Amino acid sequence: MQEHEIIFEAFLEKQGLKYTKARKLILEIVFKLHEHFDVEYLYDLIHQVSKDVSRATVYRTIPLMVEAGLIQRSVRSESRDKYEHIYGHPRHSHWVCKNCGLVIETDIQDLMKLVQSEAKTQNFQIDEVNLTVRGICWKCRNNANESQ
Amino acid sequence: MQEHEIIFEAFLEKQGLKYTKARKLILEIVFKLHEHFDVEYLYDLIHQVSKDVSRATVYRTIPLMVEAGLIQRSVRSESRDKYEHIYGHPRHSHWVCKNCGLVIETDIQDLMKLVQSEAKTQNFQIDEVNLTVRGICWKCRNNANESQ
DNA sequence: CTCTTATTGAGAATGAATCTCATTTAACAG
DNA sequence: CTGTTAAATGAGATTCATTCTCAATAAGAG
Ligand SMILES: [Mn+2]
Ligand SMILES: [Mn+2]
Ligand SMILES: [Zn+2]
Ligand SMILES: [Zn+2]
């Protein structure tokens, strides 16, 4: 049994919830992914494996995985919420290109120090840190320059 | 004529768009506000002053003000997008309490230095920086402790 | 004024996310 | 096993913020 399964099962147990077939499968597929994903994309993947899991159950399972600390809401794009692993993945920032949609990720070790010291002075319990920068990536900047 | 009007009018001009009655009124009401606002809230305020501005026009004017650098999308809450001034307001982070909904804002001077140096190495043009921290505020933490 | 193009209001359409409810399943005690 | 109880589920309806359509109007240049 993999780490994330142990964590999820323990979480469910503690909440008096059941580690069902559907939840097992959803978790499994989520942890095979290594990109940002939205619910529709996830549902399609799951549906390829089993027709027995409904969209509603996928939607219902996501907040459970979030609460369990396994995934988090990431960049929202094309009007859909997107998610990504946090368990086993270093915290990072997102740099979104408004022009081509590219998403770059960078480490936020240094940032976290600032955030944590601020949290201390405010006595704020941090659950989730989200740094998103929007603008134009180097490629699109170059293209823009060339075409002048 | 106020700064933000000058900026908006110049922006529209440059885009070949017109500084109409409706846009004037929307801008005016937006800059009387000094809180985070969503479209519905803004529309209600506008509607009190004039019945002649439709919801559609409010929705259409917001991205124009964003593009003009006057406002930006802020924290999303209760499923609605929220906005806030950026013109004349220092950049700041948002600390959202998951329990009571409180939003605290803090300065991000130090953070911006990090972000800007990262942008330099990536050759990324920054349009918008969003730092949001979610968790539990000091008040809710105290309440939780007391009730044990 | 006349023309051209942008703008507008009203309401329809879209679509992600949530909800409802009848049915099924998990878990557990006997 | 069997019966009991509460949680979970699928299918589809519903919600509701946002976007779109389109006919009518306004702005602005000449
Ligand atoms: Mn990421
Ligand atoms: Mn703010
Ligand atoms: Zn790009
Ligand atoms: Zn709070």
Side-chain angles (χ1 to χ4, degrees):
Chain A
M1 189 131 95
Q2 310 213 36
E3 279 289 322
H4 54 256
E5 278 191 271
I6 296 170
I7 292 172
F8 197 38
E9 192 169 8
F11 167 82
L12 292 172
E13 166 100 63
K14 211 174 73 184
Q15 307 282 312
L17 305 176
K18 294 161 186 170
Y19 190 44
T20 60
K21 249 182 173 175
R23 287 174 179 161
K24 202 168 199 148
L25 180 61
I26 294 168
L27 182 72
E28 186 188 323
I29 305 278
V30 162
F31 272 82
K32 275 191 185 146
L33 283 176
H34 292 287
E35 328 120 48
H36 296 173
F37 62 92
D38 60 42
V39 179
E40 207 52 31
Y41 179 68
L42 177 59
Y43 174 70
D44 284 347
L45 287 178
I46 290 165
H47 214 225
Q48 287 169 23
V49 179
S50 163
K51 307 283 177 211
D52 294 340
V53 177
S54 73
R55 193 177 266 100
T57 297
V58 177
Y59 270 106
R60 285 189 277 231
T61 304
I62 282 186
L64 296 175
M65 293 185 291
V66 170
E67 258 223 87
L70 294 168
I71 63 172
Q72 76 177 161
R73 210 175 6 214
S74 176
V75 186
R76 185 185 170 83
S77 73
E78 296 150 45
S79 82
R80 292 179 184 165
D81 284 341
K82 295 218 170 191
Y83 296 85
E84 66 182 337
H85 301 181
I86 45 176
Y87 180 72
H89 288 250
R91 296 273 165 88
H92 55 266
S93 62
H94 293 115
W95 299 65
V96 183
C97 178
K98 282 179 174 175
N99 191 247
C100 67
L102 176 73
V103 179
I104 300 164
E105 303 185 323
T106 74
D107 181 80
I108 54 169
Q109 288 297 105
D110 294 344
L111 164 68
M112 282 308 292
K113 281 178 205 152
L114 293 179
V115 171
Q116 266 150 6
S117 95
E118 182 64 40
K120 207 160 200 174
T121 67
Q122 280 189 38
N123 191 20
F124 190 96
Q125 173 198 316
I126 299 173
D127 287 347
E128 205 185 314
V129 177
N130 186 312
L131 174 61
T132 305
V133 181
R134 278 169 208 279
I136 310 292
C137 76
W138 66 273
K139 260 189 174 170
C140 290
R141 292 180 81 179
N142 284 351
N143 289 346
N145 285 343
E146 276 171 25
S147 65
Q148 274 177 1
Chain B
M1 193 133 91
Q2 309 213 39
E3 278 291 319
H4 54 257
E5 278 192 271
I6 295 170
I7 292 172
F8 197 38
E9 192 168 9
F11 167 81
L12 292 172
E13 167 100 62
K14 209 173 75 186
Q15 308 282 313
L17 305 176
K18 294 163 187 170
Y19 190 43
T20 60
K21 248 181 174 175
R23 288 175 179 159
K24 202 167 198 150
L25 180 61
I26 293 167
L27 183 71
E28 186 188 323
I29 305 278
V30 163
F31 273 83
K32 274 189 186 150
L33 283 175
H34 294 287
E35 328 120 48
H36 297 173
F37 62 92
D38 61 41
V39 179
E40 207 53 30
Y41 180 68
L42 177 58
Y43 174 70
D44 284 347
L45 287 179
I46 290 164
H47 214 223
Q48 286 169 23
V49 178
S50 163
K51 307 284 178 210
D52 294 341
V53 177
S54 74
R55 193 177 266 100
T57 297
V58 177
Y59 270 103
R60 286 189 278 233
T61 304
I62 282 185
L64 296 175
M65 293 185 291
V66 170
E67 258 224 85
L70 293 168
I71 63 173
Q72 76 177 160
R73 209 171 10 211
S74 177
V75 187
R76 184 184 171 84
S77 73
E78 296 149 46
S79 83
R80 292 178 184 167
D81 285 342
K82 295 219 171 189
Y83 296 85
E84 65 182 337
H85 301 182
I86 46 177
Y87 179 73
H89 288 250
R91 297 269 166 91
H92 55 268
S93 62
H94 292 116
W95 300 66
V96 183
C97 178
K98 282 178 173 177
N99 190 247
C100 69
L102 175 72
V103 179
I104 300 166
E105 304 183 324
T106 73
D107 182 79
I108 54 169
Q109 288 297 105
D110 295 344
L111 163 70
M112 282 308 292
K113 281 177 204 151
L114 294 179
V115 171
Q116 266 150 7
S117 95
E118 182 65 39
K120 209 161 201 172
T121 70
Q122 283 192 35
N123 192 19
F124 190 97
Q125 173 198 314
I126 300 173
D127 286 347
E128 208 183 310
V129 177
N130 186 311
L131 174 62
T132 306
V133 181
R134 277 169 210 279
I136 310 292
C137 76
W138 66 273
K139 259 190 176 170
C140 290
R141 293 180 81 180
N142 285 351
N143 289 346
N145 286 341
E146 276 173 25
S147 65
Q148 276 175 359

